[in-house]
Amino acid sequence: MKKLNTSPLSGTQELLPWAQTLFDKYRETIAAAYAAHGFQHIDTPAIDRTEILLAKAGGETEKQIYRVYKTSKKAADSEQALRFDQTVSLARYTVEHENDLAFPFRVYQIGRSYRGERAQKGRFREFYQCDVDVIGRNRLAVAYDAEVIATLYDALRSIKGLPEFRIRISNRKILTGLLQELNLDDLSAEIFAIVDHAEKVPREQTVAALQGLGLGSENVVKITAFTEIRGGRHEVMTKLHSFKLENATFRTGVTELNEVLELLEAQLPAENFIADMLIVRGLDYYTGTVFETFCLEYPGLGSICSGGRYENLAGHYTDWILPGVGGSIGLTRLFSVLTEAGLISSDATAPIDIALIPLDKTVRGRTFLLAKQLRAEGKTVDVVLSDKKLWDKMAHAAKVAKYACVLGPDEIIRGSAQLKDLKTGELSELKFG
Amino acid sequence: MKKLNTSPLSGTQELLPWAQTLFDKYRETIAAAYAAHGFQHIDTPAIDRTEILLAKAGGETEKQIYRVYKTSKKAADSEQALRFDQTVSLARYTVEHENDLAFPFRVYQIGRSYRGERAQKGRFREFYQCDVDVIGRNRLAVAYDAEVIATLYDALRSIKGLPEFRIRISNRKILTGLLQELNLDDLSAEIFAIVDHAEKVPREQTVAALQGLGLGSENVVKITAFTEIRGGRHEVMTKLHSFKLENATFRTGVTELNEVLELLEAQLPAENFIADMLIVRGLDYYTGTVFETFCLEYPGLGSICSGGRYENLAGHYTDWILPGVGGSIGLTRLFSVLTEAGLISSDATAPIDIALIPLDKTVRGRTFLLAKQLRAEGKTVDVVLSDKKLWDKMAHAAKVAKYACVLGPDEIIRGSAQLKDLKTGELSELKFG
């Protein structure tokens, strides 16, 4: 009988071994894709100074932040908290170690962050994110925006079983310039928020929201028409040029978007990315390129990989200008939504390779030597050491391994034993030196 | 100029990319050794219910625990805290998922725990531990004690550059039985603490401490003579048998120790383990086999890997009896002491393999294709995309990569380019398809 509630805290992810094996594989292949693109790994603390974490935060983030204090101290003294994302850690790290880093600094982080979210499906209080960023000093070529997207593409592609996906790309300067041209700068934040939300509500609601800001119908038509522009590079460039705007911000945005798309054409299959003016990202943190990624047949999963360009990473910590571009795969959330959608199932069991069963105590030493030999060949091997009946040991082997092999004195003398495939029952010969 | 203190919180470990690469390699080879022995990975949350964490804890642990609360809530409401070790997580996990696990459950965890330690060298508030455990249901063969030690040996052996080490092994039942026989049961906890501490103080101080408990000189001699027993199996067994004790606990301990040593003889080099009665571990949590590991030429590093047998993992959470045996490599502390001792230096730089430098924008597409080809061959590749002068790009390449290669229109037509070894200056030919 249980004496305490042993379920994991709500909002945390805890996996059975077979699922953990799959999760680890995702994590490893993502890391390998980042590393293959020349990104370097850093592993920053999840606990940090409250003043660092709150320098930029505010509103919702501040309310959700987890503060940390010792039982022996008063909570009010708490100057430590758990980070709510890894970007704050990256900003602090880059400023702190600036003299030891080579810029542009290609960096990735795969770690946990914490948010006091209200408990609900798909919302996590403790979660892994796989971030990839390039940080420049003073300036950073726009080509790196494409490099980050190409890297994330390779990372997503490496995830076995992930449904087909498409990266939707835009540049915030384009809508910013358009709004300047329409003399709607003042309403910029509100309009960005409405566009960001547009896909989740019926079209009329978006129109009504824009009208609600006091926009004339001509402007409403222009903005909604703008947000409906999507497609390949040539198609989208033609449509954007047809606006015939002289506005410098607009034109810079269009030029940057064109370069990013052109660089991606050289690297990604055409069906995996698209220019899409509906993508603006809610955060005003982003200042240029922005992107989100959706699974074509599972739009309900939401964006599985997003990011963009920011003009200054660490303005709250330093006077240096550190422009950057980054993106992130929300691994805990991704794994959870794929499970929900039935795309990960327990059929994906990941047992170890071989269970070796010594028949009695006299042959254990020889069994260890065989285990060593098999491990040197890259196999995972469980030597079943329990002092139960052979029947029980076989039953255990069937639960944990793909193959089982019983070793007794005869097998040792013969120098070979029968290897049993625990799924098919097939027998084969295992020789040992 | 910095606006805020950007150093990481004291008591956390933050590494530069070259050191992080090395740390990651340690972590990976340890995980690989655990997996090769058939252990399954689980990754439990670092945040948990306070009642779970405090069910067993008390004294120092309770004072050091980090509680967690949301800014928007009162600290007093805090029912969440950060775990202080992974054993509590393992206990909760095993009880919660008992029906889905195969026992004996071979499991490993590599994750972070948190303690509000006073800031000082070698003490960490956030640290990684690499735990390996076997959990039985109701009972667990003593052979698994040897299996855990052999697994940890392979893990330590996999760490490149680790100085030679020796695992010192004993069994708490032996001293427990001896004290029963001497009618010193009542002072058992105190005597264990004195023995555990003996190596850190002069011999006279240990003798004085035992005398201070009111022990007669005959008993003091017996106990100190006992704690000086160390050596190979036969030697130690002979000495222990010479005590001629009938005490059942003593005899069980001797038999168990003999079996563990015998099983290790079949697997480990003789110089890497030793029976040593001075090892008792401070924690009364352990009930049988106990072990600690020291680097022979660097005893000052302290134990780099310890563990033992416990009779009941989760007695505070459930009525089931879950005996287990486990051990742990304190990776953050190990990495830190090796650095302190000068055994890890920045000579161990770990740059990426190749920096590809496109001479101008027209050849970027072709450069991406070459990068893709090289990545498919397992190379890590940075395409230098900055719009700076060639000289600057070369300087960047020299900082981040082992080889550099400049691609211009001529190289593209020729289908080959010069690969420069950035250390020796040597040139070789790089052909591309």
Side-chain angles (χ1 to χ4, degrees):
Chain A
M1 253 230 355
K2 283 193 204 175
K3 299 174 180 175
L4 286 175
N5 175 4
T6 55
S7 66
L9 208 57
S10 103
T12 63
Q13 189 175 63
E14 181 162 277
L15 304 171
L16 285 172
W18 69 263
Q20 187 65 51
T21 305
L22 208 55
F23 184 94
D24 292 347
K25 209 156 279 171
Y26 282 21
R27 182 179 163 159
E28 279 158 27
T29 58
I30 291 170
Y34 291 174
H37 278 260
F39 288 81
Q40 295 190 293
H41 182 224
I42 64 168
D43 186 31
T44 47
I47 185 170
D48 216 322
R49 290 173 214 287
T50 310
E51 65 165 359
I52 286 284
L53 295 172
L54 292 183
K56 192 186 72 181
E60 275 311 297
T61 309
E62 180 150 0
K63 270 186 231 156
Q64 290 181 351
I65 208 168
Y66 275 129
R67 286 169 184 260
V68 155
Y69 72 101
K70 280 202 281 180
T71 308
S72 54
K73 280 209 171 190
K74 276 195 216 129
D77 298 344
S78 167
E79 286 163 359
Q80 298 156 26
L82 294 171
R83 65 171 170 210
F84 49 87
D85 70 22
Q86 296 179 121
T87 305
V88 288
S89 304
L90 175 61
R92 186 187 55 63
Y93 183 97
T94 308
V95 173
E96 178 69 14
H97 304 291
E98 193 254 358
N99 292 326
D100 295 306
L101 304 175
F103 292 87
F105 179 37
R106 289 187 184 224
V107 58
Y108 76 91
Q109 297 189 86
I110 298 183
R112 280 170 164 169
S113 295
Y114 296 83
R115 283 183 200 179
E117 295 266 11
R118 212 179 291 176
Q120 65 185 86
K121 225 194 278 184
R123 297 274 182 167
F124 287 93
R125 292 176 174 167
E126 177 184 73
F127 52 94
Y128 279 97
Q129 280 185 303
C130 308
D131 291 5
V132 64
D133 289 90
V134 186
I135 314 295
R137 203 153 39 174
N138 296 319
R139 64 202 183 100
L140 180 71
V142 75
Y144 283 104
D145 299 19
E147 177 64 8
V148 161
I149 294 172
T151 303
L152 287 164
Y153 168 80
D154 280 355
L156 290 171
R157 182 53 74 208
S158 77
I159 298 179
K160 242 176 92 178
L162 187 72
E164 269 311 306
F165 59 88
R166 185 181 283 157
I167 306 170
R168 298 161 66 187
I169 306 162
S170 184
N171 189 304
R172 278 175 67 106
K173 288 176 186 158
I174 305 176
L175 180 55
T176 301
L178 175 63
L179 296 181
Q180 284 170 0
E181 201 62 22
L182 301 177
N183 285 315
L184 295 171
D185 308 37
D186 295 352
L187 295 171
S188 184
E190 290 83 353
I191 296 171
F192 267 90
I194 291 167
V195 174
D196 186 45
H197 199 61
E199 212 156 15
K200 294 178 189 125
V201 298
R203 196 175 188 283
E204 313 84 69
Q205 196 171 322
T206 301
V207 170
L210 290 170
Q211 286 167 338
L213 291 177
L215 269 60
S217 59
E218 200 183 335
N219 282 343
V220 171
V221 168
K222 266 197 184 143
I223 291 169
T224 49
F226 170 81
T227 61
E228 280 158 9
I229 297 174
R230 69 178 54 81
R233 181 164 66 95
H234 292 292
E235 183 187 346
V236 167
M237 285 301 133
T238 305
K239 286 185 180 163
L240 291 174
H241 286 133
S242 76
F243 276 76
K244 297 195 201 306
L245 293 191
E246 292 298 320
N247 179 285
T249 307
F250 182 91
R251 292 172 70 117
T252 305
V254 172
T255 306
E256 288 180 2
L257 179 62
N258 186 57
E259 182 172 353
V260 169
L261 295 171
E262 201 176 1
L263 287 167
L264 290 177
E265 281 168 3
Q267 302 176 77
L268 269 56
E271 61 269 29
N272 289 112
F273 70 104
I274 190 171
D276 188 336
M277 297 308 107
L278 200 57
I279 300 301
V280 295
R281 307 297 318 274
L283 305 165
D284 52 5
Y285 173 62
Y286 293 110
T287 51
T289 300
V290 280
F291 59 92
E292 296 189 350
T293 309
F294 293 85
C295 291
L296 300 173
E297 291 172 35
Y298 300 87
L301 304 188
S303 177
I304 60 168
C305 170
S306 322
R309 156 76 66 146
Y310 37 90
E311 271 324 298
N312 198 2
L313 173 68
H316 294 277
Y317 308 157
T318 180
D319 289 332
W320 302 326
I321 306 296
L322 298 168
V325 55
S328 183
I329 300 172
L331 188 53
T332 298
R333 189 182 157 278
L334 176 62
F335 197 84
S336 151
V337 296
L338 291 179
T339 307
E340 280 295 319
L343 295 165
I344 292 173
S345 78
S346 67
D347 294 344
T349 48
I352 59 154
D353 296 320
I354 303 171
L356 292 183
I357 304 173
L359 199 59
D360 58 46
K361 291 197 172 186
T362 66
V363 297
R364 290 195 299 196
R366 236 11 226 87
T367 310
F368 287 133
L369 286 184
L370 176 58
K372 194 172 183 173
Q373 178 189 319
L374 292 167
R375 283 173 193 139
E377 291 167 11
K379 302 276 192 300
T380 54
V381 182
D382 179 340
V383 179
V384 183
L385 293 165
S386 80
D387 41 21
K388 293 187 180 166
K389 297 253 162 65
L390 181 59
W391 171 254
D392 284 314
K393 293 188 198 173
M394 287 297 293
H396 178 71
K399 274 189 217 161
V400 301
K402 291 179 207 145
Y403 295 89
C405 176
V406 180
L407 280 101
D410 292 352
E411 281 78 11
I412 301 297
I413 292 166
R414 221 171 50 222
S416 83
Q418 283 193 317
L419 193 67
K420 183 177 181 179
D421 184 322
L422 293 163
K423 219 167 190 177
T424 64
E426 213 174 311
L427 295 172
S428 57
E429 203 67 12
L430 178 68
K431 290 189 189 250
F432 40 96
Chain B
M1 254 236 345
K2 282 192 205 177
K3 299 174 181 174
L4 286 176
N5 176 3
T6 55
S7 67
L9 208 57
S10 103
T12 63
Q13 187 175 63
E14 181 162 276
L15 304 171
L16 286 172
W18 71 263
Q20 187 65 51
T21 305
L22 209 54
F23 184 94
D24 292 347
K25 208 155 280 172
Y26 283 21
R27 184 180 161 158
E28 279 157 29
T29 58
I30 291 170
Y34 290 174
H37 278 261
F39 288 82
Q40 295 190 295
H41 183 225
I42 64 168
D43 187 30
T44 47
I47 185 169
D48 216 323
R49 291 172 214 287
T50 310
E51 63 164 2
I52 285 285
L53 295 171
L54 293 183
K56 192 185 72 182
E60 275 311 296
T61 310
E62 179 150 359
K63 270 187 229 154
Q64 290 181 352
I65 208 168
Y66 276 130
R67 287 170 184 259
V68 155
Y69 71 103
K70 280 202 283 181
T71 308
S72 54
K73 281 209 170 190
K74 275 193 216 130
D77 298 344
S78 168
E79 287 163 359
Q80 297 154 27
L82 294 170
R83 64 169 171 211
F84 49 87
D85 71 21
Q86 296 178 120
T87 305
V88 288
S89 305
L90 175 60
R92 186 187 54 63
Y93 183 97
T94 308
V95 173
E96 178 68 14
H97 304 291
E98 194 254 359
N99 293 325
D100 295 306
L101 304 175
F103 292 87
F105 179 37
R106 288 187 184 225
V107 58
Y108 76 90
Q109 297 189 85
I110 298 182
R112 280 169 164 171
S113 296
Y114 296 83
R115 283 183 202 179
E117 294 266 12
R118 212 180 291 176
Q120 65 184 86
K121 224 195 277 183
R123 296 274 183 167
F124 288 93
R125 291 177 176 168
E126 178 185 71
F127 53 94
Y128 279 97
Q129 280 185 303
C130 308
D131 291 3
V132 64
D133 290 89
V134 186
I135 314 295
R137 205 152 37 173
N138 296 319
R139 64 201 184 102
L140 180 70
V142 75
Y144 283 105
D145 299 19
E147 177 64 8
V148 160
I149 294 173
T151 303
L152 287 164
Y153 168 81
D154 280 354
L156 290 171
R157 182 54 72 207
S158 77
I159 297 179
K160 244 176 92 179
L162 186 71
E164 268 311 306
F165 58 89
R166 185 180 283 157
I167 306 170
R168 298 162 67 188
I169 306 163
S170 185
N171 189 303
R172 278 175 67 107
K173 287 175 187 159
I174 306 176
L175 180 54
T176 301
L178 176 63
L179 297 181
Q180 283 170 1
E181 201 63 23
L182 302 176
N183 285 316
L184 293 170
D185 308 37
D186 296 353
L187 295 171
S188 184
E190 290 82 353
I191 295 170
F192 267 91
I194 292 168
V195 174
D196 187 45
H197 200 58
E199 211 156 17
K200 295 177 189 128
V201 298
R203 196 173 188 284
E204 313 83 69
Q205 197 171 322
T206 302
V207 170
L210 290 171
Q211 286 167 337
L213 291 176
L215 269 60
S217 60
E218 199 185 335
N219 281 342
V220 171
V221 169
K222 266 196 185 145
I223 292 169
T224 48
F226 170 80
T227 61
E228 280 158 11
I229 297 174
R230 67 179 55 82
R233 180 165 66 95
H234 293 291
E235 183 186 347
V236 168
M237 284 301 132
T238 305
K239 286 185 182 164
L240 291 174
H241 287 133
S242 76
F243 276 76
K244 297 196 201 309
L245 293 191
E246 292 299 319
N247 179 285
T249 308
F250 182 90
R251 292 172 72 116
T252 306
V254 172
T255 306
E256 288 181 2
L257 178 62
N258 186 57
E259 182 171 355
V260 168
L261 295 171
E262 200 176 2
L263 288 167
L264 290 177
E265 280 168 4
Q267 302 178 74
L268 268 57
E271 62 270 27
N272 289 113
F273 69 103
I274 190 172
D276 189 337
M277 297 307 107
L278 200 58
I279 299 301
V280 295
R281 307 297 318 272
L283 305 164
D284 53 6
Y285 174 62
Y286 293 110
T287 52
T289 299
V290 281
F291 59 92
E292 295 190 350
T293 310
F294 293 85
C295 292
L296 300 174
E297 291 173 34
Y298 300 88
L301 304 187
S303 177
I304 60 169
C305 170
S306 323
R309 156 76 66 146
Y310 37 90
E311 271 324 298
N312 198 2
L313 174 69
H316 294 276
Y317 308 157
T318 180
D319 288 332
W320 302 326
I321 306 297
L322 299 168
V325 55
S328 182
I329 299 172
L331 188 53
T332 298
R333 187 182 160 278
L334 177 62
F335 197 85
S336 151
V337 295
L338 292 179
T339 307
E340 280 295 319
L343 294 166
I344 292 174
S345 78
S346 66
D347 294 344
T349 48
I352 60 155
D353 296 320
I354 304 171
L356 292 183
I357 305 173
L359 198 61
D360 59 45
K361 291 198 173 187
T362 66
V363 297
R364 291 194 298 196
R366 241 1 232 90
T367 309
F368 287 133
L369 286 185
L370 175 58
K372 194 172 183 172
Q373 179 190 320
L374 292 167
R375 284 173 194 140
E377 292 167 12
K379 303 276 193 299
T380 54
V381 182
D382 179 341
V383 179
V384 183
L385 292 166
S386 81
D387 40 21
K388 293 187 179 167
K389 297 256 161 64
L390 182 58
W391 171 253
D392 285 315
K393 293 187 201 177
M394 287 297 292
H396 177 71
K399 274 188 219 161
V400 301
K402 291 178 207 147
Y403 296 89
C405 175
V406 179
L407 279 100
D410 292 352
E411 280 77 11
I412 301 296
I413 292 166
R414 221 170 50 222
S416 83
Q418 283 192 318
L419 193 67
K420 185 177 180 179
D421 184 321
L422 293 163
K423 217 166 192 177
T424 65
E426 211 174 312
L427 295 172
S428 57
E429 202 69 12
L430 177 68
K431 290 190 187 247
F432 40 96

